[in-house]
Amino acid sequence: MYSNSSEQSLRHPSELVDRKGLLNGLFKEEDERFVILDLNTYSKPTRLTTLARLGMTTIKLSENLLIDRGKSIQNLAATCAHCALDRCVQFVRYLNREITSIESNQELFSELKTLQFLPVKSKSKDWVWSWGLDRITKSIESSKIIYDCNNIDHKHIIPVHFESPINLYSNTVLELVCSIHPVLDRSCLPLGIFSQFFGNIGVKKDVSLLLALENLLVISNDVCTNEKEGSTDSQLVNSTVVAIYKFLNETFTKQMLSEERMQSLTETADRFRNENILLLNGIFVKPCQVVVQIPEDCSPDFYGLNAAYSLKSMKGFLKLLQIDDRCSAAQVLSKLEMYKSKYGLKEMNEDEVKLYVRLLKVLVSSMKFDNWEAASVQDLFIPDTKGILPLFRMYVLMKVQ
């Protein structure tokens, strides 16, 4: 049989596809699967019926042709992203219709999951930080087929990338993985296809607590770097990290009835306590520097969630990152002693003196809660008018008071 191409070639009936059938959207003329358009030969209705009886593909792809069509999407994208996306839509519709029979063939189904045929969500122009799409490695197998596109509506270039189902995450968990893993672009695909279908073919929707924390760390590091370069969209960053915080809060809260699970999650999150992952007043700080309530502004040594009502309401999140209600006297004393070691008899500047005094006030408050005696701070000094520390012992002042 002849296929329609610049150089007519012979094909077995089983290698042909009905150009007017349900599967025509999965092929172009260059694929050499359609019979020639000549009413005097094989394109007559009666002869097409005969070809169908002899094995021409009409409504169902063979196993080899199914895999071939999946691979062709990436190859077609090299010529025209619009055509590739159109074929992707047709391919997904076909899979959705035939998923039951395809699933029953484990070998075929496993190979299908590895093909790069699903569209990946591109980052918005406002997102200047790491994006999962950037980590995709295209796997285009060599093909003798050279596609062409003469559609004038396809001249506008669109950013379309494809990835295999098993390497994609669902768009429902976008914020939780966006900086380190590619996410399915659901907007490019038919609305009538339920999310369960994408889960069945391998798209992941479950995110571990560790993965969400790693994604958060990448975002915070990128934001801190870009802030120095003067490029930050605070609203976009805030909405993204808040979504992660809510996920962490819900994940930990669900495990509060299991001491073992709570301990496991806390241990997982422990190494992130010393990373700048907590967005507070527009900057990322370390959870180990944060308490729920603090009577004085002691940044950048300590931060309080005094006015961060949303974060304060996330009890599971606070427990996960071991954020205490207040600073302990030992914590504040340790920080003050660092100033003593750093400056000794050297003069502190005005801002440092003010911070040091605020820390002293917090220490006094914490000592009352922790039932510390004045003698506990006998080696601590208060600064003089020049900002020099070793002048007057703190515990003497407290005794006088």
Side-chain angles (χ1 to χ4, degrees), residues 16-31:
L16 297 175
V17 175
D18 184 0
R19 70 165 62 246
K20 295 182 180 180
L22 294 175
L23 306 177
N24 62 347
L26 293 173
F27 299 86
K28 290 172 69 73
E29 296 292 348
E30 294 88 339
D31 290 303

Side-chain angles (χ1 to χ4, degrees), residues 169 175-178 180-181 206-219 244 247-249 251-252 261 264-273 275 277 320-321:
Y169 276 84
E175 294 88 352
L176 307 183
V177 301
C178 60
I180 53 180
H181 286 291
D206 295 325
V207 177
S208 68
L209 183 137
L210 176 59
L211 178 56
L213 283 168
E214 289 175 339
N215 183 60
L216 175 61
L217 181 58
V218 171
I219 293 174
I244 299 175
F247 168 78
L248 297 175
N249 179 62
T251 300
F252 190 81
R261 284 293 298 149
S264 175
L265 293 177
T266 302
E267 290 174 354
T268 298
D270 190 58
R271 74 176 178 88
F272 294 91
R273 294 190 69 247
E275 302 285 357
I277 61 169
L320 174 68
L321 294 178

Side-chain angles (χ1 to χ4, degrees), residues 7 9 68 93 155 167 172 184 187 217 250 357 375-376:
E7 295 183 5
S9 57
D68 178 72
R93 280 179 174 154
K155 297 302 179 183
N167 287 329
T172 58
L184 174 68
S187 65
L217 181 58
E250 292 171 2
V357 171
S376 302

Side-chain angles (χ1 to χ4, degrees), residues 386-397:
K386 294 182 179 180
I388 298 176
L389 287 175
L391 173 70
F392 200 76
R393 289 183 181 275
M394 176 70 177
Y395 90 102
V396 174
L397 178 63

Side-chain angles (χ1 to χ4, degrees), residues 300-319:
D301 292 328
F302 296 105
Y303 297 87
L305 302 180
N306 300 40
Y309 303 111
S310 178
L311 284 176
K312 284 200 293 187
S313 68
M314 299 183 191
K315 303 301 182 182
F317 177 67
L318 299 181
K319 286 182 177 294

